[in-house]
Amino acid sequence: MIQLEDVGHVAYAVPDLAVAERFLTDFGLEVSARTADRIYFRAAAARHHVYVAVKADESRFIGTALDVASKADLDLASRTIPGAGPVVETGEPGGGWRVTLKTPNGHTIWLDYGVARLDPLPTDPITPLNFHGAPLRINRSVRGRARRISVLRFGHFVLQVPDCKAEINWFINHFNLTPSDFLGSDEGSEPVVFGAFLRLAKGAQLVDHHCILINQSRFFGCHHSSFEVADLDTVMAGHEYLETLGYNLDAGVGRHMLGSLIYDYWLDPFGQRIEHFTDTDVINDEFVPSYFNGSADETTQWGMAPDASFFD
């Protein structure tokens, strides 16, 4: 079993690097490096980059990197996963070593180890809440406003595939990943699954509800990539800021049912979906998966729900 530490970065082809840079920095990322045809963006956390914009004629999802626990995990992946490439240097700013994989449905996954860590960046302050009977903010007022916010880290991504069963099995058979919840039903003689939220399997250690969602779809690509911010006030400040700049809101602000996270989805200037999130469930091996059988708009507990076709 190959041990993953975390998600690493996501890469997209973009037709205009300057336009991509303007949007992604407004979104809360920072440039960490440039080459002739690429811009590398970091979050406040230490990883050298969490998003790569690659100059191309058309916008498309290229692939996602997952960080492994050791170089031995790269060797294991190269030897044991069908179709895996050799262990090579990444050749990217930030360095490190890499194995390139293809999923059963044809998505590109890079396993990375040893990518440089940078000094963390300043982050937005967390606004304590005054719960009834247990106030956390005493003699202090909230004075938030629309502003460019700070992205903390790359949190998760969603793969759209024509055959979700093969994709889900590939991830959980090769890596320390396990389902948190399913899209589908367990009411018949055997479960029907058309999607799975996968989390890192780290025993009693608390982890995010999911780092990957595999979704059965008539489309092929990355439904969205998602980036964590400090709290609800930060989500709202960023929402108002992006709105004043005229960017395209997709859905939000709202709270999902599966994972419980507060979300705010935007479309970048080329039509790719990207998300700010906060307050996701953190769980461990005691968590019991559930099945959800409903439309995408029914996954919202409150707020602006996505269109019913959100997960087509």
Side-chain angles (χ1 to χ4, degrees), residues 157-178:
F157 62 100
V158 179
L159 295 181
Q160 296 168 302
V161 296
D163 182 354
C164 74
K165 183 177 180 180
E167 202 86 347
I168 293 165
N169 288 339
W170 185 84
F171 275 100
I172 63 177
N173 288 338
H174 290 304
F175 307 106
N176 59 324
L177 293 166
T178 191

Side-chain angles (χ1 to χ4, degrees), residues 200-219:
L200 294 169
K202 294 195 173 185
Q205 179 180 331
L206 294 174
V207 299
D208 281 9
H209 174 269
H210 60 282
C211 60
I212 306 172
L213 167 59
I214 309 297
N215 189 54
Q216 184 92 11
S217 177
R218 58 192 178 94
F219 301 107

Side-chain angles (χ1 to χ4, degrees), residues 15-205:
D16 191 316
L17 285 174
V19 170
E21 179 179 353
R22 184 163 57 250
F23 171 76
L24 291 166
T25 52
D26 287 338
F27 185 79
L29 298 173
E30 301 277 358
V31 174
S32 58
R34 300 175 190 271
T35 64
D37 63 348
R38 300 178 181 222
I39 304 179
Y40 296 78
F41 297 87
R42 66 168 298 186
R47 196 182 197 275
H48 182 274
H49 55 272
V50 296
Y51 190 112
V52 184
V54 181
K55 181 69 172 68
D57 292 336
E58 295 181 349
S59 176
R60 65 179 180 87
F61 170 64
I62 298 174
T64 309
L66 305 174
D67 287 341
V68 299
S70 70
K71 198 172 181 184
D73 286 296
L74 293 183
D75 295 330
L76 179 62
S78 183
R79 293 195 316 269
T80 62
I81 298 179
V87 178
V88 297
E89 294 185 2
T90 67
E92 295 184 331
W97 294 269
R98 169 173 293 169
V99 169
T100 299
L101 309 172
K102 284 288 187 181
T103 72
N105 284 265
H107 281 296
T108 298
I109 298 293
W110 302 290
L111 301 183
D112 283 358
Y113 177 73
V115 176
R117 267 36 185 181
L118 306 174
D119 291 336
L121 297 176
T123 60
D124 296 295
I126 293 174
T127 303
L129 300 177
N130 280 340
F131 301 106
H132 178 72
L136 301 178
R137 194 183 69 256
I138 298 171
N139 294 325
R140 294 170 55 192
S141 300
V142 177
R143 294 292 183 266
R145 56 171 57 91
R147 68 182 188 277
R148 178 182 176 274
I149 63 174
S150 172
V151 165
L152 301 178
R153 66 186 182 97
F154 175 34
H156 62 264
F157 62 100
V158 179
L159 295 181
Q160 296 168 302
V161 296
D163 182 354
C164 74
K165 183 177 180 180
E167 202 86 347
I168 293 165
N169 288 339
W170 185 84
F171 275 100
I172 63 177
N173 288 338
H174 290 304
F175 307 106
N176 59 324
L177 293 166
T178 191
S180 296
D181 285 307
F182 294 99
L183 300 173
S185 174
D186 63 347
E187 295 180 355
S189 57
E190 62 180 67
V192 175
V193 173
F194 51 87
F197 294 82
L198 305 180
R199 71 177 188 273
L200 294 169
K202 294 195 173 185
Q205 179 180 331

Side-chain angles (χ1 to χ4, degrees), residues 254-263 279 281 296-306:
R255 187 187 283 278
H256 277 311
M257 181 180 297
L258 299 168
S260 306
L261 64 160
I262 294 170
Y263 63 81
D279 194 31
D281 290 339
D297 55 334
E298 294 175 317
T299 66
T300 294
Q301 300 188 63
W302 55 256
M304 178 186 172

